[in-house]
Amino acid sequence: MRKKFRTKVSPWTVCKWARKFGSIKHLAKHLGIQFSKIWHMDEMFIKAKGKIHYIFAVIDDKSKVIALHISERRDIKSAITCLRKAKNIGGKPEIIVTDKWNAYPRVIRKVFGRRKPKVKHIVAHFRKELVVHNGKIHALSNNRIEGWNSWFRRIYRGMRGFKSLVSFQRFLDIFGLLWNLKSDAWEFLEGL
């Protein structure tokens, strides 16, 4: 009978691995992290170094973090950057749920184009929209990502901040990976 060994790894060690051995996409793929085809996208403001910054977030309907992006402005360029990161990591979704910010339809078209199969865009801010998809009825709202945003804000309040946006972005990338490891990946690693 083969013995199973368990090793505790600190978050900082995983951060160093990511820097040394490859991208977040590579690590996520290697660890067996799978994302669903229903995504939620939102932005939130955060105070860093006495200034307001924006974190754009894309999560799936299982609350797995696909992409996080820090920006000094809430603009289309930053939203496109975040959604491109998500596309690079998680592929192409079938549905994206957002709030009422009027830039999201342009952002989604810019990243995923207008060709078939089109990505369905659902605007559902704090209220559920019923959507028929793949023969099933889904009640979709942006409550999932709004809840995630408030949870992240509580975590961030306990931190001392960052010296630069580059270090903040590195933290967000690793944080997203570690967030996802708390679920699927541990089961994957135990099976090795």
Side-chain angles (χ1 to χ4, degrees), residues 3 21 32 62 95 100 110 114 143 152 191-192:
K3 263 188 170 178
F21 297 116
K62 308 285 188 250
I95 297 174
K100 295 177 183 178
K110 180 80 173 166
R114 297 175 189 246
N143 291 348
F152 182 81
L192 294 178

Side-chain angles (χ1 to χ4, degrees), residues 27-112:
L27 280 173
K29 189 175 181 180
H30 226 48
L31 293 171
I33 298 170
Q34 299 290 320
F35 301 105
S36 72
K37 294 297 181 182
I38 299 175
W39 293 2
H40 299 263
M41 184 172 186
D42 196 22
E43 75 288 338
M44 70 174 149
F45 72 90
I46 249 176
K47 204 167 190 177
K49 295 184 88 173
K51 294 166 80 177
I52 298 294
H53 291 79
Y54 293 89
I55 295 179
F56 287 85
V58 179
I59 66 172
D60 71 2
D61 67 333
K62 308 285 188 250
S63 295
K64 291 182 192 163
V65 176
I66 303 169
L68 297 169
H69 178 69
I70 184 77
S71 174
E72 292 179 331
R73 287 177 228 84
R74 180 187 185 227
D75 60 1
I76 291 175
K77 183 180 173 187
S78 301
I80 288 171
T81 301
C82 183
L83 200 54
R84 280 190 176 143
K85 283 182 186 180
K87 180 183 177 184
N88 189 27
I89 293 168
K92 185 175 182 179
E94 295 169 359
I95 297 174
I96 295 180
V97 184
T98 66
D99 60 16
K100 295 177 183 178
W101 187 33
N102 61 4
Y104 281 129
R106 286 182 282 169
V107 169
I108 293 167
R109 278 194 308 271
K110 180 80 173 166
V111 174
F112 294 107

